[in-house]
Amino acid sequence: MTAVLQPTAPPAPRLRRDRRRWAWGLGGLALLGWALAGSGLLSGPVLNPAGTGQVGRFLAAAVRPELGAEFLRVVAGSTLVTVAYAVLGAGLAVLIGALGAIPASRTTWGRRRSGWLLTRGGLALPRGLHEAVWGLLLVNVLGLDPWVGVLAIAVPYGAITAKVFADLLDEVPRGGYRALLAAGAGRGTATLYGLLPPAAGGLLSYSFYRLECAVRSAVVLGLIGAGGLGYQLALSFTSLRWEQVWTTVYALALLCLLADVAGRAVRRRVAAPRPGSRRDPLLTGAVLAVLALAGWAVGYLALSPAALVSARTREQVAYVASAAWPPATDGDLLAAVWSASVETVRMSVLAVAFATAGAVALAGLAARPRFPAGPGRRALGVLTRLGLLLLRAVPPPVWALVLLFVLLPGVLPGALALGVYTLGVLGRLVGEAVEEADRRPGEALRASGASPVGAGLYGSVPALAGPVLALALYRWEVVVRDTVFVGLLGAGGIGVLLSAATSSFDWPAVTTVLIAIVLLTVVVDLVGARARAALR
């Protein structure tokens, strides 16, 4: 008899990815436990009851902001300064990103990895430093020139934009690019005509997202003296004029809301272009409006290119460069840098954990309802989204100063301040992820008789776990940079060392601290990227 060969079943897939996920999950919990242990929350008193009265006055002033005509004129002028910094900083960043994307793209280098690695490494320094750090350094070179606010946004955002633009170019189909190379075109020309056109939508969408971020960065720079709404907020806070503080906060929230709405409209139109129309009037109008604003901003800020190449600027650059090298290497400073770096990591971990927990708890309310909802549910959703907007409109140092009224100095006030601000950002992102998630599992459960809560819990939550954790890891990378900024204003972490070294003009120590900051952000970026890869 001839034996009949039965088809063998394929071998079971190895569970490497699941094991990696468990390993990263347990590692994350251990990191959170380590951060909690070092925060002082579990080992001693952290509250300062004497400050509760001041916080009460701060909260009570929210319903009676300053509405005097004179102060409103001041706020309006500060708003114009903030918009001018944001538009010019974001516009210059997009220009830098467009020029840097070609050498940063892996496609344009082909198999020559050394040039690509050097370019990517060169982008790590400018994007590794917070815009407030750049502002602090530029003030020592340019003085109080308005170029400080513009360049402090443009330099780090330009490096970030170049990296993102390069990634977008690497992801588009390469057929046209290869055809141009085969026809004898150079790599630059082939990139310009073969990769840029199919990537244009994503590039435009990200450019407007950068403009939204630049608005918040312009506010942040105001806290270190660059002018605008942030500067007015710092003045009102220092004098404890809470009514003026809330007027400025509401102006910030309105400005952020306008930027968010406009940016979202552009990104949605890019994602779903109008059929049968070669030129979209909304996108064309948005681009023309930004160009017009940029032209106005140059005149409003009275920017002079001569200030960048003046004799004084050249002398200051030469002095700082010669004074800052070699970096300081004494043992006491290195020990202080290590201790401050540990404190920075602890603050960032606690901030992201708090923000992620809050974003998950509010996700159902922050997302627009998928199913018909009553007026109460819709009103609650609007209030939740407005609350998240207020949280992210106020810069983290302001939250830190408020929390220091009721919390003893240490890791915890800075961590909670960053957590409150990050909750505003992450709550919006998680809400959008809920809105864009696949609705079919939940609809199937609803059709079988499940309640809306049950349908969401079992139909949507499993699919959202990965994206939410990926968003949290991405925000962790951003929070580490924000932690440095919080430290610049005295809330702890490595930023405190940078502020002290800069104030005393100890340039070798400044270089050492800056190197530590860049290394810290690079390590966190790499850890976050590996963790996100394990979650895919």
Side-chain angles (χ1 to χ4, degrees):
M1 295 179 62
T2 302
V4 180
L5 297 178
Q6 299 292 335
T8 58
R14 300 184 69 178
L15 299 179
R16 251 182 222 175
R17 177 165 293 184
D18 290 341
R19 290 173 182 169
R20 286 209 322 264
R21 289 177 177 175
W22 276 103
W24 280 103
L26 293 175
L29 290 176
L31 187 63
L32 177 58
W34 168 78
L36 280 171
S39 68
L41 184 62
L42 307 178
S43 57
V46 294
L47 295 177
N48 176 27
T52 54
Q54 198 64 254
V55 172
R57 286 188 285 273
F58 168 75
L59 295 176
V63 296
R64 44 183 175 82
E66 174 63 55
L67 298 177
E70 183 178 354
F71 185 72
L72 291 180
R73 281 195 296 271
V74 172
V75 170
S78 300
T79 302
L80 293 178
V81 173
T82 298
V83 171
Y85 279 141
V87 171
L88 288 179
L92 190 55
V94 170
L95 180 61
I96 295 172
L99 295 175
I102 295 178
S105 170
R106 191 167 187 172
T107 302
T108 59
W109 287 98
R111 296 182 179 180
R112 297 173 295 175
R113 290 179 56 85
S114 58
W116 176 74
L117 290 173
L118 285 174
T119 304
R120 287 296 180 109
L123 294 175
L125 173 60
R127 69 186 179 88
L129 298 178
H130 192 277
E131 50 269 24
V133 177
W134 280 108
L136 196 65
L137 298 175
L138 288 167
V139 163
N140 286 277
V141 174
L142 297 172
L144 296 178
D145 194 276
W147 274 111
V148 170
V150 175
L151 293 178
I153 296 173
V155 172
Y157 277 20
I160 295 170
T161 303
K163 178 181 180 295
V164 174
F165 278 11
D167 292 340
L168 291 173
L169 292 179
D170 289 338
E171 293 174 3
V172 300
R174 304 181 188 180
Y177 173 78
R178 290 171 179 159
L180 288 170
L181 287 179
R187 290 189 180 273
T189 303
T191 301
L192 185 62
Y193 293 100
L195 295 180
L196 281 180
L203 300 178
L204 180 63
S205 176
Y206 185 79
S207 298
F208 275 89
Y209 170 71
R210 272 294 131 200
L211 179 58
E212 297 175 39
C213 298
V215 171
R216 288 188 284 271
S217 294
V219 173
V220 162
L221 291 171
L223 293 175
I224 60 170
L229 284 171
Y231 181 64
Q232 184 57 49
L233 182 62
L235 289 178
S236 299
F237 196 100
T238 303
S239 58
L240 303 182
R241 298 179 179 178
W242 302 126
E243 292 79 7
Q244 293 184 2
V245 167
W246 279 105
T247 301
T248 311
V249 166
Y250 292 144
L252 286 173
L254 181 59
L255 190 58
C256 290
L257 177 62
L258 292 175
D260 289 353
V261 170
R264 181 182 290 194
V266 170
R267 292 195 300 274
R268 283 183 175 176
R269 188 58 63 90
V270 169
R274 296 176 61 181
S277 177
R278 297 184 61 186
R279 179 173 296 179
D280 192 316
L282 174 64
L283 298 181
T284 303
V287 172
L288 292 177
V290 171
L291 292 176
L293 279 173
W296 161 81
V298 170
Y300 185 78
L301 294 176
L303 290 179
S304 172
L308 299 177
V309 294
S310 67
R312 179 191 177 279
T313 300
R314 293 196 302 270
E315 291 173 2
Q316 283 297 107
V317 170
Y319 166 72
V320 171
S322 61
W325 196 265
T329 56
D330 59 277
D332 291 341
L333 176 62
L334 293 181
V337 168
W338 173 258
S339 176
S341 299
V342 170
E343 190 176 60
T344 295
V345 173
R346 282 191 168 120
M347 287 171 61
S348 66
V349 170
L350 291 175
V352 170
F354 171 81
T356 303
V360 170
L362 296 175
L365 294 175
R368 289 168 176 80
R370 295 181 171 186
F371 307 105
R377 167 63 181 85
R378 290 196 298 270
L380 195 56
V382 170
L383 290 176
T384 301
R385 290 189 289 274
L386 287 177
L388 293 173
L389 176 65
L390 281 176
L391 294 185
R392 64 179 181 268
V394 179
V398 175
W399 289 120
L401 293 173
V402 171
L403 289 168
L404 280 171
F405 284 127
V406 292
L407 294 175
L408 297 176
V411 171
L412 198 58
L416 288 179
L418 288 163
V420 169
Y421 174 79
T422 305
L423 172 59
V425 178
L426 199 57
R428 173 197 168 188
L429 295 175
V430 173
E432 291 178 353
V434 171
E435 293 173 10
E436 296 170 2
D438 188 0
R439 303 186 179 189
R440 290 174 294 181
E443 291 173 351
L445 289 172
R446 284 290 301 272
S448 63
S451 65
V453 174
L457 185 62
Y458 295 100
S460 301
V461 170
L464 286 169
V468 169
L469 289 175
L471 288 171
L473 288 167
Y474 167 71
R475 289 306 306 177
W476 182 38
E477 301 167 15
V478 178
V479 166
V480 169
R481 297 176 179 87
D482 289 342
T483 305
V484 176
F485 171 49
V486 169
L488 284 176
L489 298 180
I494 199 168
V496 174
L497 289 181
L498 181 61
S499 179
T502 307
S503 300
S504 60
F505 300 103
D506 187 354
W507 293 111
V510 169
T511 303
T512 301
V513 176
L514 289 179
I515 291 173
I517 291 171
V518 172
L519 291 176
L520 181 62
T521 54
V522 168
V523 169
V524 171
D525 285 355
L526 291 175
V527 172
R530 293 292 299 272
R532 289 197 304 273
L535 293 172
R536 293 193 186 107

